Each structure stands twice: as structure tokens, then as C-alpha cells.
Amino acid sequence: MRAFLALLRRDLVLAARIGGSGGLGLVFFLMIVAVIPFALGPDLNLLSRIGPAILWIAALLSTLVGLDRLFQADEEDGSLDLLRLSGTPLEILVLAKATAHWLTTGLPLAVASPLFGLLLALEPAAMATSLVSLLVGTPALSFLGAIGAALTASLRRGGLILAILVLPFAIPVLIFGVAASDPAAEARAQALLFLGALTLIAGVVGTLAAAAALRSRE
Amino acid sequence: MLNRLANPGSFMRWSGPAMVPLALVTAATLAIGLYLALVVAPPDYQQGETVRIMFVHVPSAWLALFFYMVMAVAALGSLVWRHPMADVSQKAAAPIGAAFALVCLVTGSLWGKPMWGTYWVWDARLTSMLVLFLMYCGVIALWRTIDDPARAARAVSILTLVGVVNIPIIKFSVDWWFTLHQGASVLRLGGPSIHSSILVPLLVMALAATLLGTTLHLLGMRTEVLRRRVRRLELLRAERLEAPSEPVRPSARSEVSA
């Protein structure tokens, strides 16, 4: 537990001091939300109808950006090897890093989503449901992404292949996330429960698989 | 028994002579199956001659799933026993499975045009097969990016096994998504039962496709073993060129050696 907290704090401090995640991820999220109306046209009715979907796609893409550095930076400067030697289970490391990743990307996105929902003319009810679904669903994206990040940790240009590996696994999250964002859908509660289940499954599978992938590099 | 068959050296010895008979049996079964499917089987009263696409389409779908299972079993072999032939089998299975998935998608959309009036609908089954194809692409891409074969095998094994956990979830969620968004308005194959005049050619074609897949898989494995031997020889030669005075010790632990 102490190791987990120490790793978590280290990653959060790194994110805060170096930048590149957190604030920038939010700006990227805003960029996508701002760019899509240019492609679709400024029809507010259309935008408010597909607004939750836009928010989810933007969340998915901003999670992917920078994910390739999740383990790579530690791999390059050798701290990953030190952590392996320290006797701390790699699962703890993955759990801490994925949690830190979510705290610096998923959580800010979810919290800021009502603000960006204004740009998409979302109804207040849709804003609330989008916020809840993003809060529940984005951890799954971080944990699934950790698998891809661990698999591509030692590759020089892992960004593109990481996206190819991770996106198919993110499809269920996207499906239930968008369904849980629609306040009019009668299956909303059901979708939200499924989304929570997906997050829990991704938490377990992602942690174990990413730790195994980090171990398999030798 | 299995150990002896799976030793790379003896694998090369027994699989070499087995290739020609296997290929002949495959060709014969495929010829019989195609004859039954294209000539003997009656045209459907609703779909006409286009129903014959099914005899290629459905076996491809089965084989696409089958080869993912082959990859998953081999992935277990790679991770648990670190058996080099499991790595080889995994690597050879990926492009074959991807090809079957692609054949299934292409024949499906060619069939969909006359039947549904469009090449593509976001039907749950089509979407699942597309996702399967994308996952095959990811597996192949990962094989190609990591150059050390043993490390690549372990990384791909993890990806494949995560995929096995996720395939039912994806399948289920896509089904859920489809039923949520539109009713069951799309024409679906698979009425109450399939008449034997259709079923027999279908089963023969499925057998032929399985034989074809097995033949290609063995051939791919042989090629991969040879490729690894070449790689090993090149590495040894490079070592020798680098340090001519030192004796060359075979050191790479995971290469397939004859």
C-alpha cells in the first residue's frame, strides 16, 4: 500500500511538473470538441443529439494520446528495472501508474465535460448523465490502455501500434458509455451498470496483463 | 508423442513429406465441395443463385474464429512452457485467420448487396467479425514491430489471451448495441432449419476449408522455422565477423535450432 501511494504520488508530481498530460490532455479534448462542429456544420440540434457521442470519442482519443509514454519513460531511464528489483509486485506498479494516468486524463475530462457540453448545446440532463458515464467509464480506458502501453514499452515508435491494439478492446466501453449518456434511453441504468462492470473487469485484466507484459520483456 | 512431434527438428522431418498428400486431399475435398455447392445444391427459392455465396462465407467465418482459438492455445503454450513451436504456430496462424475473416467480410458484403441492397449494414454479426479482423491486424502488427522472436511471441501471447477474454464481451456488447439501436428489421439467414440439400455441401465445404487452413498453417509453420534458422545463421555470421578471434558459442536461448 505504501509502495502504491509512493508510486502514485511520484507519477502525479511528474505529471504536474513536466506537463504533457493533465492540462494538455484537457486542451486536446477541447480541440476535438471544437473541431467536430466544423466538420458537421453548426447545427445545434444535430450537435446536441450526438453530443454525448462526441464527448466519448474525444475522451477515447485523449486517453490514447500520451499513453505510449506510460511505461516507456521509466523503461528508458532504467527506473522500471529498479522497481522490478525492489520486490514490489509489478501489479502494484501498473495499478499505481494506471490510476495516476486516469487521475491526470480521465478525471479532468469527466469533470470538464459539462463545460464542453455547453459548446455542443447539451441539455442539462444530458450533461449530468455524460458526466456520470465518463466518470464511471474512463478508468476502463486507462486500464485497457495500460496493456497496450506495457506491450509497446520498449518500442521506439509505439504510439500508432498502441492505438491499433487498444481500440478494439475499447469498443464495449464506447457502446455502453454512449448508451449511459443518453438521458432519454430507457436502458440507461442498465448501460451504466454494464459500464461499471467493464471498468472493474478492465481493472483486473488490465493490471494482470500489463504486469505480465512488463515481465515478458526479458 | 506430442513432445516428439513438436520438436522443431522432427517437426520439419514429418511435416515435409506430409505436405503433398495433405495438399492433394485438400484440393480433392475442395473440388467436391465446390461441385456440390455450385452445381448440385438447389438455388434458394427466395435468394436465387446468390445463396451459393454462403458455401464460402459461412466456413470462412467458422475458420476465422477457429484460428483465433488456435492462436490462443498456442499462446498458452508460449507463456506456460515457452515452447518455440508454440511461438511458431501462433505466428503462422495469425495471417491465415485474418485472411479467413477478410474472406468472410468480403463475401458477406458481396452477398449483402443483392440481398439487403447495401454492401454493409451495422449488423451485430458483421460488426463482430470486423472487430475480429481488426484484432487480427493488431496481432500481426505486433509480431512485425518486435524483432526478437521470443519476446514478440510473449507479447503477442498476452495480447491474444486478453483478446480471448474480451471477444465474448465485445460480442455481447455489440449484440446489445444493435438491438438497442434498431429492431430486427434486417434480413437474416438461418430460418428454422437448413435442408439437407444445402447442409451437406456446406459441411463438405467446411471440411475443405478446415483442411485448407491446416495445410496453410503447417506450411506457414515450416516457413517460419526455416526463417528462424536463417536468422540464427545470420546472427552467428555477424558475431563471427565482429569478433574473429573469439570462438563462437551458440548462445541465443530461444531460437529454433535443428
Side-chain angles (χ1 to χ4, degrees):
Chain A
M1 194 63 206
R2 266 183 56 210
F4 172 79
L5 288 177
L7 282 166
L8 187 65
R9 194 165 68 226
R10 168 177 174 269
D11 266 36
L12 290 179
V13 168
L14 276 176
R17 298 210 177 138
I18 297 179
S21 52
L24 271 187
L26 215 53
V27 175
F28 184 71
F29 190 67
L30 177 61
M31 285 286 174
I32 298 178
V33 172
V35 161
I36 286 177
F38 288 113
L40 285 176
D43 178 1
L44 282 185
N45 286 328
L46 177 67
L47 284 178
S48 92
R49 195 158 55 81
I50 62 171
I54 295 178
L55 287 179
W56 261 97
I57 295 273
L60 190 61
L61 292 180
S62 359
T63 312
L64 280 178
V65 170
L67 200 60
D68 55 327
R69 295 298 291 170
L70 187 61
F71 298 109
Q72 206 175 38
D74 287 344
E75 213 266 340
E76 278 167 3
D77 66 9
S79 34
L80 194 60
D81 293 322
L82 285 179
L83 288 167
R84 287 189 53 171
L85 290 175
S86 72
T88 312
L90 278 179
E91 281 80 5
I92 298 266
L93 167 74
V94 173
L95 203 59
K97 293 206 78 111
T99 311
H101 181 261
W102 178 70
L103 287 176
T104 50
T105 55
L107 184 63
L109 296 190
V111 172
S113 67
L115 195 62
F116 299 150
L118 285 177
L119 294 175
L120 299 171
L122 284 190
E123 302 288 320
M127 275 182 204
T129 50
S130 298
L131 172 67
V132 172
S133 78
L134 281 168
L135 268 182
V136 173
T138 43
L141 298 180
S142 288
F143 277 102
L144 290 173
I147 304 176
L151 285 172
T152 57
S154 48
L155 300 179
R156 283 290 152 268
R157 282 176 297 162
L160 186 59
I161 184 158
L162 186 137
I164 291 175
L165 298 184
V166 167
L167 280 178
F169 297 140
I171 290 173
V173 182
L174 196 60
I175 290 175
F176 289 116
V178 173
S181 305
D182 183 3
E186 73 254 46
R188 196 180 72 77
Q190 191 193 2
L192 197 62
L193 287 178
F194 277 126
L195 196 62
L198 284 176
T199 296
L200 294 176
I201 294 173
V204 175
V205 173
T207 307
L208 293 178
L214 287 178
R215 247 180 241 121
S216 80
R217 292 175 315 119
E218 298 312 310
Chain B
M1 175 66 184
L2 195 65
N3 253 329
R4 278 199 37 224
L5 283 182
N7 172 289
S10 62
F11 170 77
M12 294 304 277
R13 272 193 298 283
W14 68 258
S15 62
M19 287 315 299
V20 173
L22 198 57
L24 287 178
V25 172
T26 305
T29 320
L30 199 59
I32 296 171
L34 283 175
Y35 174 75
L36 286 177
L38 298 183
V39 181
V40 176
D44 190 80
Y45 77 98
Q46 245 182 343
Q47 309 196 12
E49 301 289 341
T50 55
V51 76
R52 299 188 195 286
I53 295 175
M54 181 191 74
F55 297 114
V56 178
H57 177 74
V58 173
S60 308
W62 288 343
L63 268 282
L65 278 172
F66 174 73
F67 270 99
Y68 202 92
M69 287 304 127
V70 170
M71 280 201 329
V73 171
L76 271 181
S78 286
L79 278 186
V80 178
W81 292 286
R82 306 226 161 166
H83 199 299
M85 285 313 283
D87 303 0
V88 168
S89 159
Q90 240 193 109
K91 187 169 185 185
I96 302 172
F100 275 118
L102 189 63
V103 167
C104 174
L105 287 172
V106 170
T107 52
S109 73
L110 288 179
W111 194 8
K113 184 63 184 171
M115 285 302 105
W116 302 336
T118 166
Y119 285 111
W120 186 263
V121 287
W122 286 97
D123 170 71
R125 287 190 181 196
L126 279 75
T127 314
S128 312
M129 189 49 80
L130 180 65
V131 174
L132 184 66
F133 177 67
L134 291 176
M135 285 168 67
Y136 271 122
C137 291
V139 166
I140 295 172
L142 195 60
W143 269 116
R144 297 203 165 187
T145 22
I146 307 180
D147 24 293
D148 179 56
R151 257 188 51 211
R154 265 169 277 149
V156 172
S157 304
I158 293 166
L159 180 69
T160 309
L161 291 179
V162 171
V164 168
V165 176
N166 268 281
I167 281 177
I169 298 178
I170 294 175
K171 177 91 184 93
F172 163 76
S173 59
V174 167
D175 282 345
W176 191 87
W177 163 76
F178 171 71
T179 50
L180 186 76
H181 279 239
Q182 30 182 310
S185 58
V186 181
L187 252 165
R188 276 276 190 87
L189 177 78
S193 66
I194 303 181
H195 192 258
S196 65
S197 63
I198 300 273
L199 188 62
V200 171
L202 181 62
L203 289 180
V204 175
M205 279 305 282
L207 181 67
T210 313
L211 281 170
L212 178 66
T214 313
T215 313
L216 290 174
H217 190 207
L218 277 180
L219 200 62
M221 284 172 74
R222 285 179 60 81
T223 314
E224 179 61 22
V225 170
L226 292 176
R227 195 181 289 143
R228 289 185 177 205
R229 284 186 187 168
V230 170
R231 183 187 134 86
R232 176 99 186 93
L233 289 176
E234 303 231 307
L235 283 178
L236 281 176
R237 205 181 53 158
E239 254 174 66
R240 213 173 289 140
L241 286 180
E242 219 166 68
S245 57
E246 279 179 37
V248 177
R249 271 197 309 259
S251 57
R253 50 204 188 310
S254 43
E255 305 288 325
V256 174
S257 53

